[in-house]
Amino acid sequence: VTTPLRDFDPYAAVLLDLDGTIYTEDHPLPGAVDLIRRLLREGRKFACLSTWSPRQLTARMARMGVRIEPERIYTAAAAAADFVLQHFPDDRSPRVLNVANEGFHELLDGKVIWVTGEDEPCDVVVCAALTSVFATEERLRLALTILRRRGNQPKDQSKATMLLGMCADRVYPSPRGIEFGSGAMTMLLSYASAVEPVFTGKPEAVFFQELCGRLGVEPRECLLIGDNLESDIRGAKRVGMRTLLTLTGVTRAEDLAGLPENQRPDGVVEDLTGLV
Ligand SMILES: [Mg+2]
């Protein structure tokens, strides 16, 4: 266990994964609450990375005794929304079919044109896990019809519709067992329509780049603290961030054995108590 990253002065921002790093279920992990208090006390620029909506999360964190403003929480939905607003031409609003969720709708309502019918032009179909009224069978059918329309007109790129998946996860755990992940649902639409998807959640470079854009910092100036070698450490390393792995989540110490140098975190801690 190495902790050369205890001093945060060299970093313009600290990025914290939440699930498995800060909390598990409804319990804060050792050192987590004190670490967040330290970041607040020292006036550090920091952001929390999550798949939950900021509103759900602030409530959850409050129950654990930590006050975090929703603005500090960056989600896959926020990265997708930032991407949609920046990716399409400036002279008109992007035309979007949301088969993702309410969080995404809230982020872009009033800023885009929502597509509701198969005859309407559509720039992008946005997909996530099947957790909301935006992902009904009827709406997924509409998404498929629109994506196939593009597939049928490969030469006319002005009518091309992008398929954007929030995360590339296959499954996620739930009280019922496992559920189809955002990535699995996106691949369902992708396979049926023969349209290659773009993903904007962790560990995609675009996720970390959009977040740094919001914070006004460069990726190489950031320290990321997370529990997942794939989505946190590899993703962050790819854009040049320094990385600290905590062993409170999905990664075990033995997972580090034999890991190629370019996938190794810069530091490893048992939990966050060493950082406070
Ligand atoms: Mg995690």
Side-chain angles (χ1 to χ4, degrees), residues 71-121:
E71 297 73 40
R72 284 200 193 270
I73 295 165
Y74 199 64
T75 63
D82 286 353
F83 179 86
V84 165
L85 290 177
Q86 281 159 36
H87 190 80
F88 299 101
D90 285 339
D91 55 345
R92 61 170 176 77
S93 298
R95 300 161 301 198
V96 184
L97 173 57
N98 173 16
V99 288
N101 51 48
E102 288 91 345
F104 183 74
H105 183 87
E106 280 171 27
L107 286 166
L108 286 187
D109 202 25
K111 298 176 184 164
V112 300
I113 297 163
W114 295 118
V115 172
T116 56
E118 61 183 79
D119 300 326
E120 299 166 29

Side-chain angles (χ1 to χ4, degrees), residues 168-220:
D169 58 328
R170 296 173 201 277
V171 294
Y172 65 93
S174 84
R176 293 191 300 184
I178 57 169
E179 310 284 346
F180 288 94
S182 163
M185 292 314 303
T186 307
M187 293 314 288
L188 175 83
L189 278 176
S190 169
Y191 190 69
S193 63
V195 173
E196 282 299 314
V198 170
F199 291 102
T200 51
K202 283 196 297 180
E204 304 304 322
V206 64
F207 177 86
F208 295 103
Q209 284 156 353
E210 297 285 2
L211 172 56
C212 286
R214 276 203 183 190
L215 294 172
V217 299
E218 293 294 327
R220 60 184 160 73

Side-chain angles (χ1 to χ4, degrees), residues 17-21 202 226-228 231-232:
D17 171 60
L18 288 178
D19 200 3
T21 300
K202 283 196 297 180
D227 71 303
N228 189 313
S231 63
D232 297 323

Side-chain angles (χ1 to χ4, degrees), residues 11 20 44 69 128 160 170 210 269:
Y11 307 107
R44 304 276 173 192
E69 308 93 75
R170 296 173 201 277
E210 297 285 2
V269 289

